[in-house]
Amino acid sequence: MGTNVVVGAASGMGAAVARAMAPRGRLLLADIDADGVGRLAMELGGDVESIGCDVTRPDEVDALVDAIGPELTVLQVPAGISGTMAPGRRVLEVNLVGMARLLDAVEPLVRPGSVAVCFSSVAGHLVPNDIPALNEVLDEPLAADFLDRLVALGIDPDSGLGYQLSKLGVLRLVRRLAGPWGARGARILSLSPGTTDTPMARAEIAAHPIMEKFIADRPLGRMGRPEEIASVAVFLASNGASFMTGTDVLVDGGMVGVTPDVTNGALAFLRP
């Protein structure tokens, strides 16, 4: 029997995804907050286990893979941090490098029917995706000199762009992996939530009050609820989405359609 996995399950959207996945077979919950994810596993009961895992630590990712067992059924990865939680370098290391490391590590466990749902963000859609020099760097997040190559382009990894670039990198990563996963009879997708009512989002709004206007101006005029995001994540991993792979699903209340490029031209110098 395969294992369902939720990485970043201790709180927020990750906890909502864990609750939604709990009735669907063996479930392994992982988070850097080992105590928090352990409490959630006890709350859910049944065939649910937990493990501490920092996706920036290769040894902890390897331990997670060992705990999954021989076959991966569903991998949900809501794990991620924002710019108010850490400097941009750490954000890139967790959100993009950590995601790439995790997907690389589970590759031997992928079987026909396996599915991965990798959380990106509406932020990944609000930065340019047509700058070849930047994309070349973002497409090799496991390179030893990944951050140095960003610096060589003239981008400060600790700038406010760290979060947006990390999420654009996840979008591109999923597209690239669709072919190799498809060759194994497996699917991989990204999911891009808009601002959702979680502790992380509330901290972002407190630090950047202008976000309240962005939320009010979107077509639905409100934040999302974690369970709304979780319901889409579970659908993408289900047989109901069996012809979907290599693509992104926006769950943003319409934000992308009414929000301009948030970089305000800060990356224009990279254009040919």
Side-chain angles (χ1 to χ4, degrees), residues 126-128 131 154-155 161 260-271:
L126 301 177
V127 290
I131 303 177
I155 296 172
L161 291 176
D261 172 0
V262 297
T263 67
N264 294 319
L267 298 174
F269 70 95
L270 291 173
R271 295 190 183 279

Side-chain angles (χ1 to χ4, degrees), residues 112-153:
S114 296
V115 185
V117 180
C118 307
F119 278 51
S120 179
S121 166
V122 65
H125 291 265
L126 301 177
V127 290
N129 188 27
D130 60 351
I131 303 177
L134 176 60
N135 290 342
E136 183 178 345
V137 176
L138 291 178
D139 287 352
E140 296 185 9
L142 294 180
D145 60 348
F146 170 63
L147 293 175
D148 292 336
R149 292 175 68 193
L150 282 179
V151 172
L153 288 179

